């Protein structure tokens, strides 16, 4: 392995994971001089919801919950953001705890922008337009279904806001929260993490730090994703997947989004298929295509997928194959829980062309149209 | 991949690394909203012409260097911090660029506390949790590839009169940016490149077998070892190899991320003590204690130690070595690496305690000092994170082996 | 949105867990005092400490606490549960009640708890290490081997801690800890 001529990297969140992770939050916030968080918690009917758990976890601390919102959040829109920003201000909060994944976390970050910068977040859409620290923010993952939660971005009314300051300050992973994830949410989160980690590691900005984060993420997914999807209540596996998703988000924060990302988004817009699922299928096809193409796959990625034992037991020329086999292994273990192709999901073949067109249009850097088509077709057929 | 029941990991420093990374200083500082940095460094760095490189990179930009403080001694203390902070204020600086090794960085972190939070004496901020706010923007530019202090959350500041070292700990002490430029380490002579590189390998190895290991410390440690192991000997033989220098710098910062989160164990425990009692440079102690740290913990960490063979020696050697023999092979590999560095530096890279000499050629660790070292080690925090208990007798036993350079008689290790 | 539906919440207390920790701290504190008389190693550790040495071990932020000091003769002394108003050079606080439960139910040994960053040490680290050594020894005395072996890195060999010394020591320390002399 060799370092690139130049790179930049930032892994911003402090990771806290495991037994009694939630109970660490008050003292962590105290370190920032904060103690009145606004909590946004994923709603869950019946008992065992996140709201009760988090309140109990904050017992015996100096912290006071300014407000706890566990109402429905359908999407990240200016409307809900400004209402919650109002709640934050009315209660004189000084920090934010987001418990869940997807739109809820987007909303939490946008509220943070609004209460710190005092501007509607939509005005700051784009990259690098937030230039200062926001209020301390804690992310408590349930299932990180969008892949953006622990990364440096958020969405508002469909527009992306990207800034280093949007990565959470703290990611606190606790099985009391990860185990309430639904099985399909676990699958979406795992697949999107896998795709983000793989894509960061083969991107033009790949560097030793991305390699390290991608390695940790992919190794955990290989070991735990199938078990977590089969049984999200499995403590260890669900915590492992949340860890993997957080690491992948950091890798993703430091690399441009790649082909599978834009293809999956375009497909989601056109068909409503979860981008995690299609990204999983696409990334598998991408690796297989690269393998057939002789262009090969970076040694680092092969190592991450195959693991040191399998990797070193093969001849150099056979290591890409070992990596693809390992990836295939995850899909096989998932069995019927993971669809095998886009066709199976009911995507019409004549959709593919416009999907590629939309993806190329959406990407700020130029995507190779031919390769996109090739990979999308492979994913459609499940190759 | 190993996932412990509980862990914490934080490496919130933006890494900017490359052959011409210094050129990024102006844009990095202006994105942090500042224009008048103070440079903090020491005479050695200045004399090596490295500050010229830094100011060259700033020239022609909107930045203006407000002040240069170049009098940080190798063992800095609070008075230096207070003086430098005064200068910062007098010259109306708004940010800090620290160029140098551990002492410079610790001093700069102290200065930053004072100029950001107010006050004239850094000792007023003693105690856990005193720093709770974002400090002024700071760039750390290391001039050795080893210590990893550009990514650690502590600053240790001494009070020479009272003979105490006061640790200041806060996530806010992490610099905003760690900037690695291959030109900054290019002039480091081989006899210093070898031990500082071994210090970094030690950080990674200890992070990998100590009690706070976790997925991110493991991944950064493995990556670090691969980078350093593949380059250290080449760079010692060919100091001008810029790509090798950059790989070492990247390896060192990754190792820094690993150990500042997973902590270090026996090697650092004995190393800190040997440094304290006999004044031996840190890296020298690391090189020679590392094989002993591995041997001492073998009965509790055979699997992990065996796994280290992969990044150290590469996939071919790893695959060719049967599982059971990997831990031994790892230790053998480190000993061989020390021997090769010894040969490549014309014998200046010490392999055991007896052969460490100072500039005048005097032996630095006489045998009668060993009890002193063992006692000092009992008061060093690294022993907590070591998998096996280390009592005074244990430390003595290891020191006696390391004195002669004999492999550890593992029957003598008391197993808990 | 009606803000009143999302009121401020003041988290409560975990009374039973706190009582458990308080009892454990009381026993351990008394046991340190007793061990300081019975056990050579503990006595030596205290003699090596500074004259006015006092340490507090407890839970952030609302306690409970135990305070132990060294008297002028170098002996260990349990100084009660209240750190307030005392000059305390070394304060070791466990970050929260749940982490303290992990430590005092011996699910996490002292060193594992340190490695997991469960402690905040305010004061001299050299002294803190001496306290950790004392705590490890006291645990060996107080607990049955099965549990103590989990709580310390290396359970002392019989040769290092003769059975006679241990069992007599254990009974004596228990008695003294409970009766408080
Ligand atoms: Fe070191």
């Amino acid at each position: 392995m060799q370092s690139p001529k130049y790179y930049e990297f930032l892994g911003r969140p402090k990771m806290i994971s495991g037994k009694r992770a939630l109970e660490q939050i008050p003292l962590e916030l105290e370190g920032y001089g904060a103690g009145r968080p606004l909590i946004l918690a994923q709603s869950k009917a019946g008992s065992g919801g996140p709201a009760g758990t988090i309140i109990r976890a904050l017992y015996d601390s100096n912290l006071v919950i300014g407000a706890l919102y566990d109402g429905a959040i359908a999407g990240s829109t200016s409307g809900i953001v400004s209402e919650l920003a109002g709640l934050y201000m009315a209660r004189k909060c000084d920090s934010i705890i987001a418990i869940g994944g997807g739109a809820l976390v987007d909303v939490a970050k946008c509220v943070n922008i609004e209460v710190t910068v005092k501007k509607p977040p939509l005005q700051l859409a784009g990259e690098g337009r937030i230039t200062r620290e926001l209020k301390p923010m804690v992310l408590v993952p349930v299932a990180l279904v969008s892949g953006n939660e622990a990364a440096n971005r958020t969405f508002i009314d469909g527009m992306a806001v990207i800034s280093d300051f949007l990565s959470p300050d703290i990611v606190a992973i606790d099985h009391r929260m990860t185990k309430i994830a639904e099985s399909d949410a676990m699958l979406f989160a795992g697949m999107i993490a896998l795709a983000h980690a793989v894509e960061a590691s083969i991107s033009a900005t790949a560097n030793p730090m991305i390699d390290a984060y991608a390695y940790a993420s992919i190794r955990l997914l290989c070991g735990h994703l199938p078990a977590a999807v089969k049984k999200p209540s499995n403590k260890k596996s669900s915590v492992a997947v949340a860890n993997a998703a957080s690491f992948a988000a950091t890798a993703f924060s430091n690399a441009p989004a790649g082909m599978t990302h834009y293809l999956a988004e375009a497909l989601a817009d056109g068909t409503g298929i979860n981008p995690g699922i299609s990204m999983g299928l696409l990334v598998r096809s991408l690796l297989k295509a690269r393998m057939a193409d002789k262009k090969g796959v970076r040694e680092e990625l092969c190592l991450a997928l195959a693991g040191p034992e399998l990797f070193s037991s093969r001849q150099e020329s056979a290591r890409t194959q070992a990596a693809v086999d390992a990836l295939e292994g995850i899909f096989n273990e998932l069995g019927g829980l993971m669809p095998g192709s886009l066709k199976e999901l009911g995507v019409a073949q004549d959709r593919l062309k416009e999907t590629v067109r939309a993806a190329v249009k959406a990407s700020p850097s130029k995507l190779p149209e031919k390769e996109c088509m090739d990979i999308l077709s492979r994913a459609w057929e499940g190759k | 991949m190993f996932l412990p029941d509980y862990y914490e990991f934080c490496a919130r420093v933006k890494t900017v690394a490359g052959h011409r990374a210094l050129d990024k200083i102006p844009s990095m500082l202006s994105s942090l909203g500042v224009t008048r940095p103070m440079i903090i460094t020491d005479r050695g760095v200045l004399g090596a012409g490295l500050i010229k490189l830094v100011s060259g990179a700033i020239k022609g930009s909107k930045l203006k260097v407000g002040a240069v403080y170049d009098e940080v001694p190798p063992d800095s203390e609070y008075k230096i911090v207070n003086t430098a902070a005064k200068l910062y204020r007098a010259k109306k600086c708004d940010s800090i660029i620290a160029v140098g090794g551990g002492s410079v960085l610790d001093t700069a972190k102290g200065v930053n506390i004072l100029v950001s939070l107010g006050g004239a004496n850094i000792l007023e901020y003693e105690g856990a949790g005193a720093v709770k706010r974002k400090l002024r923007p700071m760039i750390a530019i290391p001039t050795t590839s080893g210590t990893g202090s550009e990514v650690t959350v502590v600053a240790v500041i001494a009070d020479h009169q009272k003979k105490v070292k006061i640790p200041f700990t806060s996530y806010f002490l992490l610099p905003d940016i760690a900037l690695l430029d291959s030109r900054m380490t290019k002039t480091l002579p081989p006899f210093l490149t070898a031990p500082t590189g071994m210090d970094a390998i030690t950080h990674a190895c200890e992070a990998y077998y100590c009690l706070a290991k976790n997925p991110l410390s493991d991944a950064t440690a493995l990556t670090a070892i691969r980078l350093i192991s593949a380059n250290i000997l080449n760079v010692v033989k060919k100091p001008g190899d810029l790509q090798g220098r950059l790989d070492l710098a990247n390896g060192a910062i990754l190792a820094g991320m690993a150990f500042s989160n997973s902590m270090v164990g026996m090697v650092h425990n004995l190393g800190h003590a040997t440094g304290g009692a006999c004044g031996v440079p840190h890296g020298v102690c690391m090189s020679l204690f590392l094989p002993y740290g591995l041997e001492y913990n073998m009965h509790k960490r055979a699997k992990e130690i065996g796994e280290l063979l992969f990044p150290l020696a590469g996939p071919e050697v790893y695959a060719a070595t049967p599982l059971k023999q990997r831990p031994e092979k790892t230790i053998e590999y480190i000993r061989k690496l020390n021997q090769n560095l010894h040969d490549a530096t014309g014998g200046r890279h010490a392999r055991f305690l007896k052969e460490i000499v100072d500039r005048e050629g005097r032996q630095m660790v006489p045998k009668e000092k060993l009890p002193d070292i063992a006692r000092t080690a009992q008061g060093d925090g690294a022993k907590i994170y070591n998998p096996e208990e280390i009592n005074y007798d244990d430390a003595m036993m290891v020191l006696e082996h390391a004195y002669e350079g004999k492999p550890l008689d593992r029957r003598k290790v008391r197993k808990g | 949105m009606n803000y009143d539906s999302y009121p401020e919440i003041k988290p409560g207390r975990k009374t039973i867990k706190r009582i458990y920790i308080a009892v454990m701290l009381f026993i351990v504190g008394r046991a340190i005092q007793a061990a300081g008389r019975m056990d050579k190693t503990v006595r030596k550790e205290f003699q090596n400490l500074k004259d006015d040495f006092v340490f507090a071990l407890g839970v952030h932020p609302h306690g409970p606490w135990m305070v132990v000091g060294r008297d002028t003769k170098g002996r260990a002394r349990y100084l009660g549960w209240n750190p307030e108003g005392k000059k305390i050079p070394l304060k070791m606080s466990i970050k929260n009640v749940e982490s303290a439960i992990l430590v005092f139910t011996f699910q996490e040994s002292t060193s594992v708890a340190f490695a997991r960053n469960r402690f905040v040490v305010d004061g001299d680290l050299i002294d803190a290490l001496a306290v950790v050594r004392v705590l490890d020894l006291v645990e060996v005395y107080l607990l049955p081997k099965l549990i103590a072996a989990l709580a310390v890195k290396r359970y002392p060999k019989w040769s290092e801690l003769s059975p006679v010394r241990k069992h007599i020591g254990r009974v004596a320390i228990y008695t003294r800890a409970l009766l408080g002399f």
Side-chain angles (χ1 to χ4, degrees), chain B residues 146-147 199-200 202-203 259 264 268 272 282 286:
Chain B
T147 64
D199 184 19
T202 305
H203 292 156
F259 95 88
V264 284
H268 274 78
H272 291 154
H282 181 69
M286 293 303 103

Side-chain angles (χ1 to χ4, degrees), chain A residues 3 7 15 169 243 300 309, chain B residues 7 12 226 247 250 318:
Chain A
S3 338
Y7 74 87
M15 300 296 306
D169 297 281
N243 268 285
E300 307 312 316
E309 297 302 328
Chain B
Y7 80 89
R12 188 176 300 150
R226 293 176 69 204
D247 287 342
N250 276 314
Y318 187 72

